[in-house]
Amino acid sequence: MAAERTEKPTIAEIRRVAQPLSVTGRSNAEHWIADAYQRKFSPYLTRIFINLGFSANAVTWLMILVALSIGPALLIQGWTGIILALFLSHLQMFLDCCDGEVARWRNTKSPMGIFLDKLGHYGAESLIPICLDRKSTRLNSSHSQQSRMPSSA
C-alpha cells in the first residue's frame, strides 16, 4: 500500500514515507553519520526542497557541487581548510540523505539519479587524495626552500 503524499508535507509525513525501516535499518548504509544524527535533521531540509519543487536530481546536483568542493578546501592553509573540508563533507552526506528522501517522497527513481549520486561520491573521494597530495607537495617544497636559505649571522 503506497503511503499518501501531500503537496506540503509535515516532518512526520516525510519521516514516515522517506525514512522507512528498509532504509534506516540497512546494515550496509552508505555512511554511518546518517544514522548517528543526520536523519534526525534531514527531513527539515527535505521539506524545504519539496516545498520549493526541487527534484531529487536537483538536490543531488547540489550534493555534487559540495562534494567537489571538499578536496579544494583542503588546499586552504592552516586549520581553516581542514575545518571547511570537514564541514563540507558533513554537508555532502546531509544532502545525500535529502536527495534520497526527496526521491522517496516523490516516488522517483532513475538510472540518472543513481549515476549522479555515484558521481558525487566518487568525485569527492577522488579529489580529496589528489588535493592532499598537492598540499603535501607544496609543504615539502616550502620546507626544502627554507632549508636551502643561508642563515643570517
Side-chain angles (χ1 to χ4, degrees):
M1 177 181 192
E4 188 175 319
R5 291 165 176 84
T6 59
E7 191 174 319
K8 302 280 185 185
T10 66
I11 298 303
E13 289 172 324
I14 291 171
R15 286 190 200 283
R16 180 176 41 80
V17 172
Q19 294 184 344
L21 187 57
S22 62
V23 171
T24 58
R26 286 188 256 192
S27 61
N28 64 341
E30 296 94 340
H31 44 82
W32 62 269
I33 204 79
D35 293 331
Y37 76 91
Q38 290 183 332
R39 285 207 174 95
K40 293 179 182 106
F41 302 106
S42 61
Y44 295 94
L45 185 55
T46 296
R47 182 180 183 193
I48 293 169
F49 288 137
I50 291 168
N51 289 341
L52 291 175
F54 277 57
S55 68
N57 285 352
V59 178
T60 306
W61 277 112
L62 286 174
M63 186 266 291
I64 290 169
L65 289 173
V66 171
L68 296 178
S69 301
I70 298 167
L74 290 169
L75 296 174
I76 298 170
Q77 294 298 320
W79 284 101
T80 304
I82 295 167
I83 291 168
L84 180 59
L86 183 62
F87 170 77
L88 290 171
S89 66
H90 280 261
L91 181 59
Q92 177 217 356
M93 292 181 281
F94 191 66
L95 290 169
D96 191 34
C97 289
C98 292
D99 71 358
E101 291 170 356
V102 170
R104 284 185 288 280
W105 181 262
R106 297 197 186 287
N107 202 20
T108 57
K109 183 178 181 178
S110 70
M112 175 62 87
I114 294 167
F115 172 77
L116 290 175
D117 193 69
K118 291 189 183 308
L119 178 67
H121 290 289
Y122 295 153
E125 292 164 7
S126 299
L127 278 177
I128 290 170
I130 290 169
C131 291
L132 282 173
D133 177 64
R134 297 281 303 146
K135 187 171 192 164
S136 170
T137 303
R138 276 197 326 210
L139 287 173
N140 288 336
S141 171
S142 68
H143 286 305
S144 66
Q145 287 176 355
Q146 288 175 355
S147 65
R148 284 188 238 146
M149 292 177 128
S151 60
S152 49

